[in-house]
Amino acid sequence: MRVRRSRTMELMCGGAVSLLALSGPTFAMAAEAAAAAPSELEAVIVTAQKRAENVQDVPLSILALGQEKIDRLNAKDFVDIARHLPSVSIRSIVPGVGNIFMRGISSGPDGGASGSLPSVGVYLDEQPVTTIQGTLDIQMFDISRVEALAGPQGTLYGASSQSGTLRIITNKPEPGVTKGRLDVEGNTTFKGGVGYSIAGMINVPVSDQVTLRAVAWNRIDPGYIDNVPATRTYPSSGITISNADIAKKDFNQVEVSGARAALRVDLNENWTVTPGLLIQKTKADGNTYQILGRDLKVERFFPDHRDDTYWQAAMTIQGKVGDLDVTYAGAYLNRKFNTYFDYSDYSYFYDTLFGMGQIIQNNAGQLIDPSQHTHSISQYTHDSHELRIATPQDKRLRATGGLFFQVQRHELQSQYIIDGLATSLSVTGWPNTQWLTDQQRTDRDYAAFGEVSYDILPSLTLTAGGRLFKASNHIVGFFGLRGSEGRCFGPTIYGDGPCTNVDRTAKGHGFSGRLNATWRPDRDRLFYVTYSEGFRPGGINRAPQSAAYEPDYLKNYEAGWKTTWANGRVRFNGAVFNDRWDGFQLFVQTTANIAEVRNVGQARSRGVETDFAAVLGHGFSINGAASYIDAKLLDNYCGRIDANGNPILTCATPIAPAGSRLPFAPTFKGSLSVRYDWTMGDAEMFVEATGAHQGGNWSSLRTRDRVIQGKSPGFETLDLAAGADWVDWRISVYARNVLDSRGELARLTSCPASVCSRIYQVPIRPRNVGVKVSRTF
């Protein structure tokens, strides 16, 4: 659906934001009522250690954004959230899909169909939703909080929590309460289109023991990238193509719709069962990148379209057996992509450099348009189960332990299509298909974990924990050109490919540990030191001549503090850390554009992260967070391994020399919010300004890619919001990215940068202005 742009809405929203933001203090001085702001900071309750506790009592680096903060940020997706989490960076080039990194622990994009598992774990409530293809972009409505746990969380959260864990906590059913909420929003993007959002929630008791909470949403994110008219002439054939039939302004519009429901069943005073169901569908046209140096413009010759549908059924059972707290958390996630993508950059540059167009012919032996476009169908399932037992947490000696199992299965069918391609050049049984991937990948994880804490003194606690794990990675199917069929070793075992040329398994096991000492000199101050480990399982590379890759480990040395001052009016937390990454997995593409993973060597990340909040009085409050991260390669990356499978670290011209900064690792990142609350009549008013800065970063570890692509520069953003709350109503206006910054999240090419020299930039969304009306009942 296409939403037309309204100049009236632009002027109305922009004027409202400016008026309220500038006049708020004037209204406040005229108001006779006292300021509505609290006299001290509210406690932030988190469940990072698998139990509810004040964030000031948790001896790890954690930043939590609550529901009120998320609402005030007008966050639509996780890109909006990540901007305000200093230890988190994100690479998102298509709507609804992103690679998340923490503390600079990144070797480049994760999430390949045959690549490494992610290094950051993502949880929705108790259930992991980390996926091979990138994080779920969950609608930020009726969310209790988002918790960012920096540093390895391997003990309690396992694989893919190597450098940190992100937890999205939904609001739960509230027994004995009938209430609801409806949000309606309209917004416009400068140099783009008009969007809207409608979302509703209802919480209703079904009986004395059963309560239902359900939410639903639909939103349109307006496009802002123009697919401009262009032509392209192939050197080998002289054939010229045009995109006149698909050139379009604001072609990257996104529609997101979905629903979520949870049922709380109180079996008795000790046992509660909470089944839940989530479904979301994203329909995205275009992509979120521009040609380097061409403001919000691309040249695409085939349609880019993506349907992303997922659903999750989850069950949490909580209860007590004697003094023991017992929790079972299980879930089944099913995600399906249907994607169309323009891959003509690959065709053009391979023809320009290597004359590849000379072999692209039809059945009559004539040269044809060699342009490639892709069609991919990807089915992903994730089945997870955890059983956890905890002793009473008010005892001097306390423990948490459990068992975990998960299986992830990714079925991928991807065609690289050249229209009119000769049958002799097409994969057998797949007309017009020059390359086919038709494979199934299965990852299994088994683990036993536990932590024990002991209060040596009332103010001093020691904690030790560990996780024993066993993992396997299996890929079976077909990949390659028609000529690849000569490497097949049997009939089709999986899928619809012509035969099977990959059927490989890698297995591994290991242990990750954690030690912590916490000192609490008084109720307002806590200090801790931690040693912890995170890991990712190894896996196989599809090509038979390529060795499997081994697990990689992150060793974390950390010291932190949690402090409250001025009788609860000021909070200042932080941590310093030194992380060492051993044998880390690097996702690379060969010149033939075949993905491989290799264990490279060693890297390290050092830094400091802080957050603070303060109630200044007279209605003013302030909060902020920042991180400084120095993440570097310690060994040369030469791209070769020895006879024992170890990386060769000495070479004349390293692919990446020791000392190279890790990709997607800005040195400095921070945000600062200033808020003013006051009352006027029956309304509680507020104005808020939020600024954020992100330093420059590289998108690749390879020196050659960096020379060609360049570095993404640092950028700043400024967001404004203002609003009024009555008993049942709220109206707010906002302007995100007020200064219309072209902040850049990443750079990319369609194939190896040494071949595909057209560089793309992923800009943040241009200035976006909106009005939101909320009704509670």
Side-chain angles (χ1 to χ4, degrees):
M1 184 176 71
R2 168 84 175 167
V3 181
R4 292 182 165 235
R5 181 176 178 180
S6 169
R7 180 63 178 164
T8 302
M9 176 176 280
E10 289 185 10
L11 294 173
M12 177 188 70
C13 296
V17 169
S18 300
L19 179 63
L20 283 175
L22 296 175
S23 302
T26 303
F27 291 154
M29 289 186 289
E32 297 180 358
S39 59
E40 65 179 46
L41 294 166
E42 295 183 1
V44 178
I45 305 301
V46 298
T47 52
Q49 297 190 115
K50 305 283 190 175
R51 58 182 181 271
E53 53 192 335
N54 191 319
V55 70
Q56 296 303 100
D57 298 328
V58 181
L60 59 86
S61 182
I62 176 172
L63 185 63
L65 300 180
Q67 176 176 300
E68 179 67 17
K69 180 66 174 178
I70 293 171
D71 287 345
R72 296 202 311 263
L73 290 174
N74 297 287
K76 301 298 187 299
D77 52 33
F78 203 80
V79 172
D80 295 333
I81 294 292
R83 197 182 309 169
H84 303 279
L85 299 173
S87 293
V88 178
S89 56
I90 186 169
R91 177 186 185 268
S92 179
I93 63 173
V94 292
V97 179
N99 303 127
I100 299 174
F101 310 101
M102 297 185 74
R103 285 189 174 175
I105 300 301
S106 164
S107 59
D110 294 321
S114 304
S116 301
L117 291 170
S119 61
V120 174
V122 181
Y123 276 67
L124 178 64
D125 295 319
E126 288 280 350
Q127 287 80 14
V129 291
T130 314
T131 77
I132 298 168
Q133 291 264 277
T135 184
L136 299 183
D137 199 357
I138 296 169
Q139 175 80 5
M140 291 290 116
F141 177 73
D142 200 40
I143 298 297
S144 174
R145 64 190 178 278
V146 174
E147 300 176 4
L149 286 58
Q153 307 296 324
T155 302
L156 292 180
Y157 293 97
S160 291
S161 286
Q162 181 183 51
S163 60
T165 301
L166 286 165
R167 307 184 69 236
I168 301 170
I169 311 298
T170 62
N171 287 316
K172 303 301 185 294
E174 300 178 51
V177 177
T178 299
K179 66 178 183 179
R181 173 183 168 185
L182 179 66
D183 286 5
V184 179
E185 175 187 338
N187 65 85
T188 183
T189 297
F190 282 40
K191 298 187 177 180
V194 171
Y196 73 85
S197 175
I198 183 168
M201 177 277 294
I202 187 168
N203 186 98
V204 57
V206 179
S207 68
D208 290 343
Q209 289 79 36
V210 181
T211 307
L212 171 69
R213 191 180 189 106
V215 300
W217 58 86
N218 178 258
R219 83 171 197 258
I220 294 286
D221 292 340
Y224 51 89
I225 302 289
D226 298 338
N227 187 25
V228 298
T231 60
R232 170 174 278 169
T233 301
Y234 286 94
S236 292
S237 63
I239 293 174
T240 298
I241 62 172
S242 169
N243 70 349
D245 58 336
I246 63 168
K248 185 179 181 182
K249 183 176 175 58
D250 309 331
F251 91 132
N252 63 318
Q253 179 173 285
V254 179
E255 181 175 8
V256 181
S257 56
R260 187 177 70 243
L263 197 67
R264 172 172 173 152
V265 182
D266 295 315
L267 301 178
N268 53 44
E269 62 180 9
N270 289 327
W271 289 90
T272 299
V273 178
T274 309
L277 182 65
L278 163 69
I279 184 170
Q280 180 167 298
K281 182 177 181 64
T282 300
K283 297 173 65 177
D285 292 317
N287 291 303
T288 58
Y289 47 78
Q290 64 186 34
I291 298 173
L292 178 65
R294 300 186 62 182
D295 188 37
L296 305 180
K297 292 178 173 59
V298 295
E299 298 173 358
R300 307 295 284 174
F301 294 89
F302 291 88
D304 293 314
H305 180 79
R306 185 183 192 93
D307 286 338
D308 177 5
T309 302
Y310 62 81
W311 61 270
Q312 183 203 54
M315 174 81 75
T316 302
I317 303 173
Q318 295 172 303
K320 297 184 75 68
V321 177
D323 288 337
L324 300 177
D325 294 317
V326 179
T327 302
Y328 164 78
Y332 179 81
L333 171 67
N334 187 301
R335 187 180 196 183
K336 184 175 182 179
F337 295 115
N338 190 8
T339 305
Y340 297 87
F341 185 75
D342 176 9
Y343 204 50
S344 60
D345 272 12
Y346 174 92
S347 307
Y348 176 76
F349 287 108
Y350 269 88
D351 187 30
T352 301
L353 294 178
F354 308 115
M356 295 292 291
Q358 299 177 52
I359 63 172
I360 306 302
Q361 303 175 351
N362 59 19
N363 284 330
Q366 300 167 326
L367 295 181
I368 61 173
D369 175 8
S371 299
Q372 291 192 37
H373 54 103
T374 71
H375 179 211
S376 299
I377 299 175
S378 178
Q379 184 83 27
Y380 172 84
T381 61
H382 187 169
D383 189 9
S384 65
H385 304 272
E386 179 175 298
L387 178 64
R388 188 171 68 249
I389 300 174
T391 64
Q393 297 302 303
D394 58 353
K395 303 296 184 182
R396 187 175 184 181
L397 177 66
R398 49 200 178 274
T400 300
L403 301 173
F404 177 80
F405 165 74
Q406 72 175 4
V407 57
Q408 304 177 71
R409 185 167 285 112
H410 183 206
E411 300 180 9
L412 174 64
Q413 189 177 91
S414 186
Q415 298 172 256
Y416 290 72
I417 300 167
I418 300 177
D419 295 325
L421 185 66
T423 302
S424 61
L425 298 175
S426 301
V427 175
T428 301
W430 291 81
N432 303 321
T433 301
Q434 186 185 43
W435 178 284
L436 174 69
T437 297
D438 190 20
Q439 68 179 37
Q440 181 186 83
R441 169 178 175 166
T442 304
D443 293 85
R444 286 185 169 85
D445 298 273
Y446 307 82
F449 62 90
E451 282 195 349
V452 178
S453 297
Y454 181 68
D455 297 331
I456 297 177
L457 300 171
S459 61
L460 181 62
T461 301
L462 295 182
T463 299
R467 190 179 190 98
L468 285 166
F469 68 89
K470 181 179 179 181
S472 67
N473 168 244
H474 176 233
I475 295 180
V476 60
F478 175 85
F479 75 101
L481 307 163
R482 185 182 183 95
S484 303
E485 298 174 28
R487 297 198 304 268
C488 289
F489 47 79
T492 300
I493 298 174
Y494 165 80
D496 300 317
C499 53
T500 297
N501 62 5
V502 59
D503 188 358
R504 305 180 67 190
T505 300
K507 297 182 179 181
H509 60 86
F511 175 82
S512 65
R514 177 176 181 262
L515 296 172
N516 174 273
T518 303
W519 177 48
R520 182 146 215 164
D522 56 53
R523 63 185 297 271
D524 291 329
R525 276 161 283 279
L526 176 151
F527 303 91
Y528 70 88
V529 292
T530 292
Y531 168 78
S532 58
E533 296 176 340
F535 68 95
R536 285 189 300 180
I540 66 107
N541 286 303
R542 296 181 301 183
Q545 70 274 13
S546 297
Y549 55 95
E550 299 297 321
D552 59 359
Y553 293 85
L554 185 71
K555 297 178 180 179
N556 171 57
Y557 304 86
E558 180 178 329
W561 62 92
K562 303 287 182 77
T563 63
T564 305
W565 308 86
N567 295 318
R569 298 170 63 88
V570 178
R571 183 165 56 231
F572 176 53
N573 300 336
V576 294
F577 60 88
N578 184 5
D579 293 347
R580 183 150 179 139
W581 199 8
D582 294 327
F584 69 88
Q585 301 165 10
L586 176 62
F587 181 82
V588 299
Q589 286 181 308
T590 65
T591 304
N593 217 26
I594 298 175
E596 289 189 357
V597 178
R598 298 170 183 163
N599 294 91
V600 175
Q602 293 184 329
R604 64 112 170 109
S605 178
R606 297 173 180 168
V608 58
E609 50 206 12
T610 64
D611 66 272
F612 74 94
V615 174
L616 304 179
H618 303 289
F620 285 97
S621 59
I622 186 172
N623 66 78
S627 66
Y628 175 86
I629 297 173
D630 182 22
K632 292 183 178 180
L633 193 63
L634 293 181
D635 297 323
N636 289 331
Y637 167 45
C638 297
R640 302 193 305 274
I641 58 176
D642 61 22
N644 297 317
N646 298 315
I648 295 172
L649 305 178
T650 303
C651 52
T653 307
I655 295 174
S660 300
R661 288 194 58 82
L662 299 184
F664 305 112
T667 302
F668 179 79
K669 187 180 179 185
S671 64
L672 179 68
S673 295
V674 180
R675 180 179 171 94
Y676 182 66
D677 294 89
W678 75 98
T679 58
M680 187 166 61
D682 294 332
E684 296 181 357
M685 314 288 292
F686 79 90
V687 291
E688 183 168 2
T690 300
H693 169 83
Q694 177 173 310
N697 65 95
W698 300 99
S699 294
S700 174
L701 187 61
R702 294 182 169 203
T703 301
R704 181 175 57 183
D705 292 352
R706 293 183 176 189
V707 171
I708 298 170
Q709 293 181 345
K711 184 179 183 180
S712 296
F715 64 92
E716 294 77 32
T717 59
L718 175 64
D719 300 342
L720 300 177
D725 276 312
W726 290 271
V727 176
D728 298 324
W729 290 89
R730 167 183 280 197
I731 182 170
S732 60
V733 292
Y734 64 84
R736 298 188 300 167
N737 192 10
V738 173
L739 303 179
D740 201 26
S741 165
R742 285 297 177 270
E744 184 181 312
L745 298 177
R747 296 191 178 188
L748 66 145
T749 56
S750 292
C751 65
S754 59
V755 177
C756 291
S757 56
R758 171 166 279 185
I759 313 302
Y760 296 96
Q761 302 165 288
V762 183
I764 62 174
R765 181 176 291 275
R767 183 187 303 121
N768 179 253
V769 179
V771 177
K772 181 165 67 176
V773 178
S774 300
R775 173 75 161 93
T776 58
F777 56 88

